[in-house]
Amino acid sequence: MEIKVDLFSDTGTRPSQDMRRFMAEAEVGDEQLGEDPSVNRLCRMAAEMMGKDEAIYLPSGLMANQISYAVHTNPGDEIIMDRTAHPIHYEAGAVAVISGASIKALAGEGGIFSAADLKAAIRGYDYHSPQTKVVSIEQTTNLGGGRIWPLERIAEIAKIAAANDLKMHMDGARMLNAAIAAGVAPLDYGQYFDSIWLDLSKGLGAPVGSVLAGSAEFIEKARFWKQRLGGAMRQAGIIAAGGIFALEHNVSRLKEDHEHAKMLAKTIDDQPGLEIDPDTVETNIVLFSVKDNKTELFADELLKQGIRVSRLNGKLRAVTHLDVGRDDIRFAVKNIEKIANQIFPE
Amino acid sequence: MEIKVDLFSDTGTRPSQDMRRFMAEAEVGDEQLGEDPSVNRLCRMAAEMMGKDEAIYLPSGLMANQISYAVHTNPGDEIIMDRTAHPIHYEAGAVAVISGASIKALAGEGGIFSAADLKAAIRGYDYHSPQTKVVSIEQTTNLGGGRIWPLERIAEIAKIAAANDLKMHMDGARMLNAAIAAGVAPLDYGQYFDSIWLDLSKGLGAPVGSVLAGSAEFIEKARFWKQRLGGAMRQAGIIAAGGIFALEHNVSRLKEDHEHAKMLAKTIDDQPGLEIDPDTVETNIVLFSVKDNKTELFADELLKQGIRVSRLNGKLRAVTHLDVGRDDIRFAVKNIEKIANQIFPE
Amino acid sequence: MEIKVDLFSDTGTRPSQDMRRFMAEAEVGDEQLGEDPSVNRLCRMAAEMMGKDEAIYLPSGLMANQISYAVHTNPGDEIIMDRTAHPIHYEAGAVAVISGASIKALAGEGGIFSAADLKAAIRGYDYHSPQTKVVSIEQTTNLGGGRIWPLERIAEIAKIAAANDLKMHMDGARMLNAAIAAGVAPLDYGQYFDSIWLDLSKGLGAPVGSVLAGSAEFIEKARFWKQRLGGAMRQAGIIAAGGIFALEHNVSRLKEDHEHAKMLAKTIDDQPGLEIDPDTVETNIVLFSVKDNKTELFADELLKQGIRVSRLNGKLRAVTHLDVGRDDIRFAVKNIEKIANQIFPE
Amino acid sequence: MEIKVDLFSDTGTRPSQDMRRFMAEAEVGDEQLGEDPSVNRLCRMAAEMMGKDEAIYLPSGLMANQISYAVHTNPGDEIIMDRTAHPIHYEAGAVAVISGASIKALAGEGGIFSAADLKAAIRGYDYHSPQTKVVSIEQTTNLGGGRIWPLERIAEIAKIAAANDLKMHMDGARMLNAAIAAGVAPLDYGQYFDSIWLDLSKGLGAPVGSVLAGSAEFIEKARFWKQRLGGAMRQAGIIAAGGIFALEHNVSRLKEDHEHAKMLAKTIDDQPGLEIDPDTVETNIVLFSVKDNKTELFADELLKQGIRVSRLNGKLRAVTHLDVGRDDIRFAVKNIEKIANQIFPE
Ligand SMILES: [Ca+2]
Ligand SMILES: [Ca+2]
Ligand SMILES: [Ca+2]
Ligand SMILES: [Ca+2]
Ligand SMILES: [Ca+2]
Ligand SMILES: [Ca+2]
């Protein structure tokens, strides 16, 4: 089956010809020794963008999360995050292995919990229990459906964190989607966090990597963990250049992905047998349900037309991104309509 | 304030004169080398009682949990237990530190989850996520209010565990309370578990220790972890003798503690301003609520009369045990009635 | 084979009738909640003895080492100790498991390294390597043959540690043997260490336990680790009382054990086929060699006479202690002479 | 100071124009999902080369070591390696953090220990001590001076490992240097190891990455650890293509680096004040000493002429590689002669 429109994930975006050319010409050096000029430039760009002293280049976003938790905690501490958060489901249990920390999972809505939820979850100082040390927020919420943590909510959370001496961490896998959709500068998010990172390989279209930013002191400790986990590379400027190119060319266009997601959501909302609350589609992720146990069938029929979506906890997920254009979306819309009406004739 | 009736916890039970005498005469040897006759005898008793090949003596129940998890898991694995379970709240984050394992907390009732809950929580084989390896059950449920896991429920859980290649662990901190109250032999519980332990220092009245039982292979691995965690002692026969005495003299009398708990529950149920479902009081733990934000006041008034209870997540908890006799319970009943009627005049 | 004189280890000492009586009468309470009066009294005694703010009672010396390392390090740090030190050989790899720390083993003499050795082993600040954080000293050196770390050597070591921001830890499994033999007060050792513990179950004759002392801040952190590792007990006053009795009655008598060791050493030195440097026998441990691959034979012949020694890295080790009296030593001396002359007729 | 001849390390090699072009045209996909064709192709090449079922692409060699140890051990186990081995000095203490394993360091010569050394270091089965599980060999020995583990030595080691149920691991950071210099096929090394990896970013000149090979079962477990440590990337084919290019074009030319190293060694051997045993220069690493505390001065004078070497434990190290041509070596030779004669006039 040839895939014509791949809505499986924005992790599949491929570097464009221009990006490839830019990468091929990158100045490089020994990244592990801090001597790679392209890596250094990317880190300065990212640090400025998020309003932090410094940044560090890493092979993955997962490593950015793990390093941050390792720096912010001691073994035995606890990290608060939503029950849908990435480290709980997709990081192979790394938090316990690497940091020796526990996770307290909150039952937010769409991946977003309230300040009151946070407050209730913070443990008292007592040697019987783990000690709460970090609040971790995923922007946007992947399993939560691409929802945006509003700046005001973040501010409330940060206030409680400060009062309880907790570190604030943002898993910014799709933070730039939130920034573009909400019209909030990354800098404005950054002010509330002790550690914050952005992913280069999702909607931005770079092939590899994330950039983790924080205070000079935080980044200094992060360097030990980067080395320890095997994230120190050599002439990584080649791939870092992809990140530079992405930050320079592919950020503002994320709004097209969001428009595309809304087009899909509207279509889905209009069909018989499909269920979605279109107001919850805030960025590039479209989570919807199919009635009458037809989820499997619906996904299979889409795939027969060359449209790939993913299955997630009994729902379907379509993710828009750089490699899906307006025509692709029109093609998807047409087929969703057709298939829905075939399966659920009115 | 002199405490006349201490319902704070059954961990406070003290060795009787007879138990002390028995302990003082214990034969001892180097426990770490397996040469302590009293420890060896206690372990044989406990292994037989729970129907297992062998058992190992440990300074605490917490260590019994941690050793079991360490043997049953590899770093990165996940353990399923109820959200009220002891390791989540009272073991200082040890699971992550010692085993590098994560905990998946289920939302059971009174600390008891269903087979369906378990089934839904088991993760598929996928290198993105932690791998589910252990189901852990706390008998009775402490934070759940001393509820008993029924044997049939355990059998259902064990069936799903077997089908998914999960190890079964029982935190038997108050397993003998369950056994006595439910009329189930420890042996009958034991058949379903790969590791199971009983605590000697709670209702049984011994000063220190727990005994962890399992297959010969399990216990052999447990010995490494006992050494590694600092649980290997020397002439521990002195305290193990307390355990022998307790198993020989203090098991069947647990039914008195349960009667006492029911007396308290009935009294509480009859008072204005106090709330309890007396049917949930199955063993020696009595969890109840006080209306109108008078929880603090009610506990303080009890304490003024020499009756100590504990506070737990906004409720009050009274625990009956060896050192609380029938007269003590009558005294508590009388005072609960008096204070409730003072605070909540009808 | 009945064992008449057990020189296997001083860990085998048994509580005397007087100690047992004292223990049986101990006041007790919930140790985990800090409410056991006997445990509290023992801790105050030990803290004063070693000149520290506070102390904490633990089920084993191994746990005292592990808690100290866990408090003093972060994962990835390095601890310097002699290659003969207990944690390298007898703690089941616990340092890596519990603290995530590495050990740098120095090649001292008799378990004692020099200040220059230490200085050369401290690593520079560099994210490629583990960071040196702790110097750990075993007083006396068990595998090193019961040698005493002289106070001046400790002072030199401490000076270098201070200059390099390293914590000082004493594994005091036989520290009181050193104190008695060298005529140095535990207080004088204590001044150089951030953490220091003494064992109650070896030469002192108590059945179980060790006491770890340090600053109030250190002990506060240690409490979390005690809980986490399963060292928090209940009515532990029963066994703590053995420790109180031991500190009150069994310290000064350690000099007899040292005399006995010297008697054995002298005898061994005088025999054909046996090799020892009697000047290295400073406390209660006697390490000696048997020529011509007769080690096994010599130990077997001793055992046939009811005298048990242990084998250690190709040598034999005899340890004197509380349960070995003057007559026992005379018996051993006589038999060593007889057997040596049988095996190595001149 | 412009650096004309950089002998600091072979980690500094830069991708050539041809390699860059090849990389820019690479087919890519989502590496984390196993869908990147270039990564898959590189892994097949490497697996075949080393005679293993499968291979896995990683961002660094450090991660290849750590994943292998994590798969081969359980927490508390011990790994045997030479005291000069990379994980002891340059992996930020990762073995303890990630695997909870200890390292037993052997005192080999030039980083190479004997079968007898290994045999003596293996611990007996005993719950007091860590259990020996892995023998780890660094080919070539970096801190040992680029020495080659001879195939016969490896065979002897492997025999003892097999007899003791130990896993064999090769840190192949410079394995291809050994293969070329010794005329041994990687396949011949591979047969003796349960895990073996080669580095693409050193002498081979690719910008990033290593490839770890083993049995299908080993690689399946390695995938979990790759994810857990943050080594799973996205369109990594771009950099993997550099590895493919390197394996196709840059392997046989390593012999030039070795010739260059010998040229440097011969020169150094001929100078007054410089000390080297030229027979120990087997590959591309030249370790030498400077007399009379002139090490610093000698390195500084070289640098003034544009020649950079590194300092290593009181010696100087020159490493030849892809970016150092015959003329560069001639230039270095001339300057070494000149400077040595200035500093040490005869
Ligand atoms: Ca991408
Ligand atoms: Ca008790
Ligand atoms: Ca394991
Ligand atoms: Ca003893
Ligand atoms: Ca720490
Ligand atoms: Ca390179």
Side-chain angles (χ1 to χ4, degrees):
Chain A
M1 187 75 267
E2 194 216 348
I3 294 172
K4 292 176 193 156
V5 183
D6 197 350
L7 301 168
F8 186 81
S9 173
D10 49 6
T11 61
T13 52
R14 285 170 200 176
S16 64
Q17 288 313 312
D18 285 351
M19 183 185 278
R20 283 167 181 263
R21 207 170 304 121
F22 186 81
M23 291 169 70
E25 291 163 3
E27 255 195 291
V28 299
D30 193 331
E31 195 264 351
Q32 193 178 120
L33 301 175
E35 296 180 352
D36 190 292
S38 299
V39 170
N40 293 345
R41 186 176 157 214
L42 172 63
C43 290
R44 279 193 308 274
M45 284 173 73
E48 266 176 50
M49 200 172 185
M50 297 185 269
K52 294 294 168 196
D53 295 347
E54 291 183 37
I56 193 169
Y57 182 62
L58 300 170
S60 70
L62 192 157
M63 197 182 280
N65 277 339
Q66 295 303 324
I67 288 177
S68 300
Y69 302 143
V71 171
H72 293 323
T73 64
N74 284 321
D77 290 339
E78 197 167 61
I79 301 167
I80 294 179
M81 60 183 75
D82 190 80
R83 62 186 163 177
T84 62
H86 197 267
I88 297 178
H89 302 286
Y90 297 125
E91 306 197 354
V95 169
V97 176
I98 294 171
S99 293
S102 302
I103 294 174
K104 170 93 178 173
L106 299 189
E109 278 203 41
I112 297 173
F113 51 81
S114 69
D117 291 341
L118 170 61
K119 204 167 175 181
I122 299 171
R123 296 183 190 270
Y125 181 80
D126 175 1
Y127 62 83
H128 290 86
S129 63
Q131 295 301 286
T132 314
K133 285 290 175 61
V134 183
V135 189
S136 185
I137 275 173
E138 191 181 343
Q139 182 78 301
T140 66
T141 66
N142 178 3
L143 289 189
R147 305 297 298 271
I148 299 170
W149 280 85
L151 199 60
E152 313 77 56
R153 178 67 58 87
I154 291 173
E156 289 166 35
I157 297 277
K159 202 171 161 188
I160 290 171
N164 289 278
D165 212 15
L166 310 182
K167 299 290 180 186
M168 291 280 289
H169 172 71
M170 180 181 275
D171 170 338
R174 290 176 183 84
M175 185 259 280
L176 291 177
N177 291 83
I180 290 298
V184 171
L187 206 67
D188 291 326
Y189 291 135
Q191 66 182 312
Y192 293 111
F193 292 90
D194 297 286
S195 49
I196 176 169
W197 58 272
L198 54 85
D199 196 300
L200 302 160
S201 74
K202 295 198 175 79
L204 295 186
V208 169
S210 71
V211 197
L212 170 64
S215 68
E217 190 193 343
F218 170 80
I219 293 296
E220 186 167 355
K221 290 179 185 167
R223 262 182 240 291
F224 280 87
W225 281 101
K226 176 182 176 177
Q227 176 73 9
R228 191 171 286 141
L229 298 182
M233 296 174 281
R234 300 302 184 181
Q235 286 69 34
I238 295 277
I239 35 177
I244 294 171
F245 185 93
L247 289 182
E248 285 178 343
H249 298 88
N250 294 350
V251 176
S252 64
R253 66 150 300 290
L254 290 170
K255 71 173 182 307
E256 294 171 35
D257 298 343
H258 304 161
E259 288 164 15
H260 292 165
K262 283 192 175 49
M263 286 169 68
L264 293 175
K266 190 180 173 314
T267 299
I268 289 164
D269 192 30
D270 289 347
Q271 306 315 310
L274 304 186
E275 294 194 321
I276 191 170
D277 175 356
D279 293 347
T280 64
V281 177
E282 299 182 332
T283 56
N284 69 326
I285 297 178
V286 183
L287 269 186
F288 63 101
S289 304
V290 185
K291 286 186 186 165
D292 305 339
N293 282 319
K294 307 282 188 180
T295 311
E296 192 97 10
L297 176 65
F298 191 80
D300 287 349
E301 291 298 317
L302 279 176
L303 195 58
K304 281 187 197 158
Q305 304 308 319
I307 300 163
R308 183 162 77 148
V309 298
S310 58
R311 249 156 277 171
L312 207 68
N313 301 329
K315 296 189 171 190
L316 294 179
R317 187 184 76 156
V319 185
T320 59
H321 54 79
L322 183 60
D323 295 351
V324 175
R326 186 64 59 114
D327 286 349
D328 296 324
I329 293 297
R330 287 197 190 107
F331 180 80
V333 160
K334 209 176 58 189
N335 279 282
I336 290 169
E337 287 171 347
K338 199 176 71 184
I339 296 168
N341 282 284
Q342 281 167 359
I343 300 183
F344 302 100
E346 287 182 291
Chain B
M1 188 75 267
E2 194 215 350
I3 295 173
K4 293 175 194 158
V5 183
D6 197 350
L7 301 168
F8 186 80
S9 174
D10 49 6
T11 61
T13 52
R14 284 170 202 178
S16 63
Q17 287 313 311
D18 285 351
M19 183 184 279
R20 284 167 181 263
R21 207 171 305 120
F22 187 80
M23 292 168 69
E25 291 163 5
E27 254 197 291
V28 299
D30 193 329
E31 194 266 350
Q32 193 179 121
L33 301 174
E35 298 180 350
D36 189 292
S38 299
V39 169
N40 294 346
R41 186 175 157 215
L42 171 63
C43 289
R44 278 194 308 275
M45 285 173 72
E48 264 175 52
M49 198 174 189
M50 298 185 269
K52 295 293 168 195
D53 295 347
E54 291 182 37
I56 192 170
Y57 181 62
L58 299 170
S60 69
L62 192 157
M63 196 183 279
N65 277 338
Q66 295 303 324
I67 288 177
S68 301
Y69 301 144
V71 172
H72 293 323
T73 65
N74 284 320
D77 289 340
E78 197 167 62
I79 301 166
I80 294 179
M81 61 183 74
D82 190 80
R83 63 186 162 178
T84 62
H86 196 267
I88 298 179
H89 302 286
Y90 298 125
E91 305 197 357
V95 171
V97 176
I98 292 171
S99 293
S102 302
I103 295 173
K104 170 93 179 174
L106 300 188
E109 278 203 42
I112 296 172
F113 50 81
S114 69
D117 291 342
L118 170 62
K119 204 167 175 181
I122 298 171
R123 295 183 189 271
Y125 181 78
D126 174 2
Y127 61 83
H128 290 86
S129 63
Q131 294 301 286
T132 314
K133 286 288 176 62
V134 183
V135 189
S136 185
I137 275 173
E138 190 182 344
Q139 182 77 302
T140 67
T141 66
N142 177 2
L143 289 189
R147 306 296 297 272
I148 298 171
W149 280 85
L151 198 61
E152 313 80 56
R153 179 66 58 85
I154 290 173
E156 288 166 34
I157 297 277
K159 202 171 162 189
I160 290 172
N164 289 277
D165 212 17
L166 310 183
K167 299 288 182 189
M168 291 280 289
H169 171 71
M170 180 182 274
D171 170 339
R174 290 176 183 84
M175 184 260 280
L176 291 178
N177 291 83
I180 291 296
V184 172
L187 206 67
D188 291 325
Y189 291 134
Q191 66 182 313
Y192 293 112
F193 293 90
D194 297 287
S195 49
I196 176 169
W197 58 273
L198 56 83
D199 197 300
L200 302 160
S201 74
K202 295 198 176 77
L204 294 186
V208 168
S210 71
V211 197
L212 170 65
S215 68
E217 191 194 342
F218 170 81
I219 293 296
E220 186 168 354
K221 290 180 185 166
R223 263 182 239 291
F224 280 87
W225 280 102
K226 176 183 176 176
Q227 176 73 9
R228 191 171 287 140
L229 299 182
M233 296 174 283
R234 300 301 184 183
Q235 286 69 34
I238 294 276
I239 36 177
I244 294 170
F245 186 93
L247 289 181
E248 287 177 343
H249 297 87
N250 295 348
V251 176
S252 64
R253 65 149 302 289
L254 291 170
K255 71 174 182 307
E256 295 169 34
D257 298 342
H258 304 160
E259 288 164 14
H260 293 165
K262 282 191 178 48
M263 286 169 69
L264 292 175
K266 189 179 174 315
T267 301
I268 290 164
D269 192 31
D270 289 346
Q271 305 315 311
L274 304 187
E275 296 194 318
I276 192 169
D277 175 356
D279 293 346
T280 65
V281 177
E282 299 182 331
T283 56
N284 69 325
I285 297 178
V286 183
L287 269 186
F288 63 103
S289 303
V290 185
K291 285 188 188 165
D292 304 341
N293 282 319
K294 307 281 187 180
T295 311
E296 191 98 10
L297 175 64
F298 190 80
D300 287 348
E301 291 299 318
L302 279 176
L303 196 57
K304 279 186 199 158
Q305 304 307 319
I307 300 164
R308 183 163 76 148
V309 297
S310 59
R311 248 156 276 171
L312 206 69
N313 301 328
K315 297 190 169 190
L316 293 180
R317 188 183 76 156
V319 185
T320 59
H321 55 78
L322 184 59
D323 295 350
V324 175
R326 186 62 58 112
D327 286 348
D328 296 324
I329 292 298
R330 288 198 190 106
F331 180 79
V333 161
K334 209 177 58 187
N335 279 283
I336 290 169
E337 287 170 347
K338 198 176 73 184
I339 296 169
N341 282 285
Q342 281 167 359
I343 300 184
F344 301 100
E346 287 182 292
Chain C
M1 186 76 266
E2 194 217 347
I3 294 172
K4 292 176 193 155
V5 182
D6 197 349
L7 301 168
F8 186 81
S9 175
D10 49 6
T11 61
T13 51
R14 286 172 200 176
S16 64
Q17 287 314 311
D18 286 349
M19 183 185 279
R20 284 168 180 262
R21 207 171 305 120
F22 187 80
M23 291 169 70
E25 290 163 5
E27 253 195 293
V28 299
D30 193 330
E31 195 265 350
Q32 194 180 117
L33 301 175
E35 297 180 351
D36 190 292
S38 300
V39 170
N40 293 346
R41 184 174 159 215
L42 171 64
C43 290
R44 279 194 308 275
M45 284 173 72
E48 263 175 51
M49 199 173 187
M50 299 184 268
K52 295 294 169 194
D53 296 347
E54 292 182 36
I56 192 169
Y57 181 62
L58 299 169
S60 69
L62 192 156
M63 197 183 280
N65 277 339
Q66 295 303 325
I67 287 177
S68 301
Y69 301 145
V71 171
H72 292 325
T73 65
N74 284 319
D77 288 339
E78 198 167 62
I79 301 166
I80 294 178
M81 59 183 74
D82 190 79
R83 63 185 163 178
T84 63
H86 197 267
I88 297 178
H89 302 287
Y90 297 125
E91 306 196 356
V95 170
V97 176
I98 294 171
S99 293
S102 302
I103 294 173
K104 170 93 180 175
L106 301 188
E109 278 202 44
I112 297 173
F113 50 82
S114 69
D117 291 340
L118 169 61
K119 203 167 176 180
I122 298 172
R123 296 184 190 269
Y125 181 79
D126 174 3
Y127 60 83
H128 290 86
S129 63
Q131 295 301 286
T132 314
K133 285 289 174 60
V134 183
V135 189
S136 185
I137 275 172
E138 190 182 343
Q139 182 78 303
T140 67
T141 67
N142 178 3
L143 290 189
R147 307 295 299 271
I148 299 171
W149 280 85
L151 199 60
E152 314 77 57
R153 178 66 60 87
I154 290 172
E156 289 166 36
I157 297 278
K159 201 171 162 187
I160 289 171
N164 289 277
D165 211 16
L166 310 182
K167 299 289 179 188
M168 291 281 288
H169 172 71
M170 179 181 277
D171 171 338
R174 290 175 184 84
M175 185 259 279
L176 292 177
N177 291 84
I180 291 296
V184 171
L187 205 67
D188 290 326
Y189 291 135
Q191 66 182 312
Y192 293 112
F193 292 90
D194 297 286
S195 49
I196 177 169
W197 58 272
L198 55 83
D199 197 301
L200 302 160
S201 73
K202 296 197 174 78
L204 295 186
V208 169
S210 71
V211 196
L212 170 64
S215 67
E217 190 194 342
F218 170 81
I219 293 296
E220 186 168 355
K221 290 180 184 167
R223 263 183 239 289
F224 281 86
W225 281 100
K226 176 181 176 178
Q227 176 73 9
R228 190 171 288 141
L229 299 181
M233 296 175 282
R234 300 300 185 182
Q235 287 68 34
I238 295 276
I239 37 178
I244 294 171
F245 186 94
L247 290 181
E248 286 178 342
H249 297 88
N250 294 348
V251 175
S252 65
R253 67 149 300 289
L254 291 170
K255 72 174 183 305
E256 294 169 36
D257 297 342
H258 305 161
E259 288 165 14
H260 293 164
K262 283 192 176 50
M263 287 168 67
L264 292 175
K266 190 179 173 316
T267 300
I268 290 163
D269 193 32
D270 289 348
Q271 306 315 310
L274 304 185
E275 294 194 319
I276 192 170
D277 175 356
D279 293 345
T280 65
V281 177
E282 300 182 331
T283 54
N284 69 325
I285 297 178
V286 183
L287 269 186
F288 63 102
S289 305
V290 185
K291 284 187 188 165
D292 304 340
N293 283 318
K294 307 280 188 182
T295 311
E296 192 98 12
L297 176 64
F298 190 81
D300 287 348
E301 292 298 319
L302 279 177
L303 196 57
K304 281 186 199 161
Q305 303 308 317
I307 300 164
R308 183 162 78 147
V309 299
S310 59
R311 250 156 274 172
L312 208 68
N313 301 327
K315 296 191 170 189
L316 293 179
R317 187 183 77 154
V319 185
T320 59
H321 54 80
L322 182 60
D323 295 349
V324 175
R326 187 63 57 114
D327 285 348
D328 297 323
I329 292 297
R330 288 199 189 104
F331 180 80
V333 160
K334 208 176 59 188
N335 279 284
I336 289 168
E337 287 171 346
K338 197 176 71 183
I339 296 168
N341 282 286
Q342 281 168 357
I343 300 183
F344 302 101
E346 286 182 292
Chain D
M1 186 76 267
E2 194 215 349
I3 295 172
K4 292 175 192 157
V5 182
D6 196 350
L7 301 167
F8 186 80
S9 174
D10 49 6
T11 61
T13 52
R14 286 172 199 175
S16 64
Q17 287 313 312
D18 286 350
M19 182 184 279
R20 284 168 180 263
R21 208 171 303 121
F22 187 81
M23 292 169 69
E25 291 163 4
E27 254 196 292
V28 298
D30 193 330
E31 194 265 349
Q32 194 179 117
L33 300 176
E35 297 180 350
D36 189 293
S38 300
V39 169
N40 293 345
R41 185 176 159 212
L42 171 63
C43 289
R44 280 193 307 275
M45 286 173 72
E48 264 175 50
M49 200 174 187
M50 298 184 269
K52 293 295 169 194
D53 296 346
E54 291 182 38
I56 192 170
Y57 181 62
L58 299 170
S60 70
L62 191 156
M63 197 183 280
N65 277 338
Q66 294 304 323
I67 287 177
S68 301
Y69 301 145
V71 171
H72 294 324
T73 65
N74 284 320
D77 289 339
E78 196 166 63
I79 301 166
I80 294 179
M81 59 183 76
D82 190 79
R83 64 185 161 179
T84 63
H86 196 266
I88 298 178
H89 302 287
Y90 297 125
E91 305 196 356
V95 170
V97 176
I98 293 171
S99 294
S102 302
I103 294 173
K104 171 92 178 174
L106 301 187
E109 278 203 42
I112 296 172
F113 50 81
S114 69
D117 292 340
L118 170 61
K119 205 167 175 179
I122 298 171
R123 296 182 189 270
Y125 181 79
D126 174 2
Y127 61 83
H128 290 87
S129 63
Q131 294 302 286
T132 314
K133 285 287 176 62
V134 183
V135 189
S136 185
I137 275 172
E138 189 182 343
Q139 182 77 303
T140 67
T141 66
N142 178 3
L143 289 189
R147 306 296 297 272
I148 298 171
W149 280 85
L151 198 60
E152 313 78 57
R153 179 66 59 87
I154 290 172
E156 289 166 35
I157 296 277
K159 202 171 161 186
I160 290 171
N164 290 276
D165 211 17
L166 310 183
K167 299 289 179 186
M168 291 280 289
H169 172 71
M170 179 181 277
D171 170 339
R174 289 176 184 82
M175 185 260 279
L176 292 177
N177 291 82
I180 291 296
V184 172
L187 205 67
D188 291 326
Y189 291 135
Q191 66 182 311
Y192 293 111
F193 293 90
D194 297 286
S195 50
I196 177 170
W197 58 272
L198 55 83
D199 196 300
L200 303 160
S201 74
K202 295 198 174 77
L204 294 186
V208 169
S210 70
V211 196
L212 169 64
S215 68
E217 190 194 342
F218 170 80
I219 293 296
E220 186 168 354
K221 289 180 185 166
R223 262 182 241 290
F224 281 86
W225 280 100
K226 176 182 176 178
Q227 177 73 10
R228 191 171 286 141
L229 299 182
M233 296 175 282
R234 300 300 184 180
Q235 286 68 34
I238 295 276
I239 37 179
I244 294 171
F245 186 94
L247 289 182
E248 286 179 342
H249 298 88
N250 294 348
V251 175
S252 65
R253 65 150 302 289
L254 290 169
K255 70 174 184 306
E256 295 170 36
D257 298 342
H258 304 161
E259 288 165 14
H260 293 166
K262 284 193 175 47
M263 287 169 67
L264 292 176
K266 188 180 176 315
T267 301
I268 289 163
D269 192 31
D270 289 347
Q271 306 315 310
L274 303 186
E275 294 194 317
I276 192 170
D277 175 357
D279 293 345
T280 65
V281 177
E282 299 182 331
T283 55
N284 69 325
I285 297 177
V286 184
L287 270 186
F288 63 103
S289 304
V290 186
K291 286 187 188 165
D292 305 340
N293 283 318
K294 306 281 188 180
T295 310
E296 190 98 12
L297 176 65
F298 190 80
D300 288 348
E301 290 299 317
L302 279 176
L303 196 57
K304 281 187 197 158
Q305 302 308 318
I307 299 163
R308 184 163 76 147
V309 298
S310 59
R311 249 155 275 171
L312 208 66
N313 301 328
K315 296 189 171 191
L316 293 179
R317 187 183 77 155
V319 185
T320 60
H321 54 78
L322 184 60
D323 295 349
V324 175
R326 186 64 57 112
D327 286 350
D328 296 324
I329 292 297
R330 288 197 189 107
F331 180 81
V333 160
K334 209 176 59 190
N335 278 283
I336 290 168
E337 287 172 345
K338 199 176 72 185
I339 295 168
N341 282 285
Q342 280 167 1
I343 300 182
F344 301 101
E346 287 182 293

